[in-house]
Amino acid sequence: MASSISARTSARHTLSVSPLSSVRSAQTSQLAIRAANPLFPCAKLSQARAVVAAPMKVSKHPSSSCLANRQPSKEVLETWRSADAVCFDVDSTVCLDEGIDELADFCGAGQAVAEWTTKAMTGTVPFEEALAARISLIKPSLSQVQDCLEKRPPRISPGIADLIKTLIANNTEVFLVSGGFRQMIEPVAFELGIPTENIIANRLLFGTSGEYAGFDTTEPTSRSGGKAVAVQQIRQDRGYKTLVMIGDGATDLEAWQPGGADLFICYAGVQMREAVAAKADWTVFEFQELISELPQLNTSQ
């Protein structure tokens, strides 16, 4: 696979060909991805995959200067620094794109699915309704998922790799909690050094010939309030004292409640959702803002 990859552009993102100081150079990783599910236990996405660290100029929303939470309070900073677990949303947070929108576009249903994604992320329709509607429009086969991952590798957000390295160096556990699909998130987790058991996400199901057979509706992230349930379960199972949720959407904000996340940080570096940002404890546009408030230990290992 070529050693250099040109980042794709879209109407949603403005890309820069000049790398930011906080962004690693674009690179690829050879990954083996398992499509583990009860209907198709032998399916394997075993071909090499790429995950791209894409440079991007972050364009702050015009109203961002009006947000009262752009400067964190002392209490917010103390909570952030003491967190023993951090849960990240994936789409438009850890990655630049909405994974389901990318898959839909690849399968020829992009516009219709993107409209449902906007409804889901702004909270105007129940998440389970939006998820079912989107996946019914796509109905991807296993081979389509394979081809999409190979031809449109996930693009890692600028600075996220450094943030996760810093958290791990500070003995903070990292989780990916997403309403997207595990098969498309596993290569991202691999690239960032996050164990697969720390992924809570939906799962596509396939028949014995690789045909689409639905998705696992028992996953908590397949329905409204699911991220809150997932975060509460993580906290209960692991016994964490302080847990932080970072994301861009209404479903991420839902995780901020008693027994769940103690702190919600809105990352608006890709999508600025004003209703969500206004309710967050802290709104950031670059991950470096979070890194700079953590103890700087050796992350070169």
Side-chain angles (χ1 to χ4, degrees):
M1 186 172 292
S3 60
S4 63
I5 295 179
S6 298
R8 292 177 291 106
T9 60
S10 71
R12 297 193 303 276
H13 307 301
T14 302
L15 303 185
S16 169
V17 295
S18 299
L20 301 174
S21 59
S22 62
V23 184
R24 295 174 300 158
S25 60
Q27 57 183 302
T28 61
S29 298
Q30 303 301 311
L31 306 174
I33 311 161
R34 292 193 302 274
N37 63 75
L39 294 184
F40 196 18
C42 297
K44 290 187 178 182
L45 308 185
S46 58
Q47 299 177 10
R49 302 285 180 249
V51 175
V52 179
M56 183 183 77
K57 286 184 177 179
V58 177
S59 178
K60 295 181 176 60
H61 194 275
S63 64
S64 64
S65 60
C66 300
L67 291 170
N69 57 12
R70 284 291 289 125
Q71 295 298 321
S73 67
K74 179 181 178 181
E75 292 74 17
V76 165
L77 287 177
E78 287 176 350
T79 303
W80 170 238
R81 292 165 181 162
S82 65
D84 42 15
V86 176
C87 296
F88 287 91
D89 173 42
V90 176
D91 296 333
S92 295
T93 301
V94 170
C95 293
L96 298 180
D97 306 298
E98 292 285 335
I100 194 168
D101 289 356
E102 289 296 301
L103 180 61
D105 187 60
F106 185 80
C107 296
Q111 183 174 350
V113 168
E115 291 173 358
W116 276 103
T117 296
T118 299
K119 294 177 183 178
M121 292 303 98
T122 55
T124 55
V125 299
F127 183 80
E128 59 268 33
E129 179 182 342
L131 179 62
R134 288 180 291 173
I135 202 64
S136 68
L137 289 168
I138 309 170
K139 295 183 178 178
S141 66
L142 177 61
S143 63
Q144 285 177 311
V145 174
Q146 289 176 317
D147 289 345
C148 182
L149 284 169
E150 183 165 344
K151 296 175 181 177
R152 298 191 181 188
R155 298 186 299 157
I156 303 296
S157 293
I160 188 63
D162 291 334
L163 174 56
I164 289 175
K165 284 181 181 179
T166 303
L167 289 169
I168 292 173
N170 281 284
N171 296 315
T172 302
E173 194 83 9
V174 176
F175 293 83
L176 300 180
V177 182
S178 175
F181 293 104
R182 173 177 289 270
Q183 288 94 336
M184 302 187 74
I185 294 171
E186 285 183 346
V188 175
F190 184 94
E191 173 71 11
L192 296 173
I194 300 170
T196 56
E197 59 265 28
N198 285 13
I199 301 172
I200 296 87
N202 295 312
R203 190 188 300 273
L204 289 167
L205 303 178
F206 303 101
T208 54
S209 298
E211 73 276 13
Y212 171 72
F215 63 94
D216 187 353
T217 58
T218 66
E219 292 286 352
T221 51
S222 68
R223 52 190 178 271
S224 294
K227 285 190 179 180
V229 172
V231 169
Q232 289 169 346
Q233 193 65 51
I234 289 170
R235 186 165 192 162
Q236 179 179 325
D237 292 347
R238 305 289 186 101
Y240 295 125
K241 183 179 179 180
T242 305
L243 189 149
V244 174
M245 180 75 203
I246 300 177
D248 70 295
T251 58
D252 307 310
L253 179 62
E254 289 176 343
W256 179 40
Q257 58 178 272
D262 300 287
L263 187 73
F264 172 63
I265 299 173
C266 176
Y267 174 67
V270 178
Q271 294 285 350
M272 173 60 170
R273 308 187 200 278
E274 293 186 37
V276 176
K279 295 178 181 178
D281 291 299
W282 185 8
T283 295
V284 301
F285 287 83
E286 299 179 16
F287 287 119
Q288 184 58 45
E289 297 177 58
L290 303 179
I291 295 172
S292 65
E293 297 296 344
L294 293 172
Q296 300 303 302
L297 303 178
N298 183 8
T299 60
S300 61
Q301 300 298 321

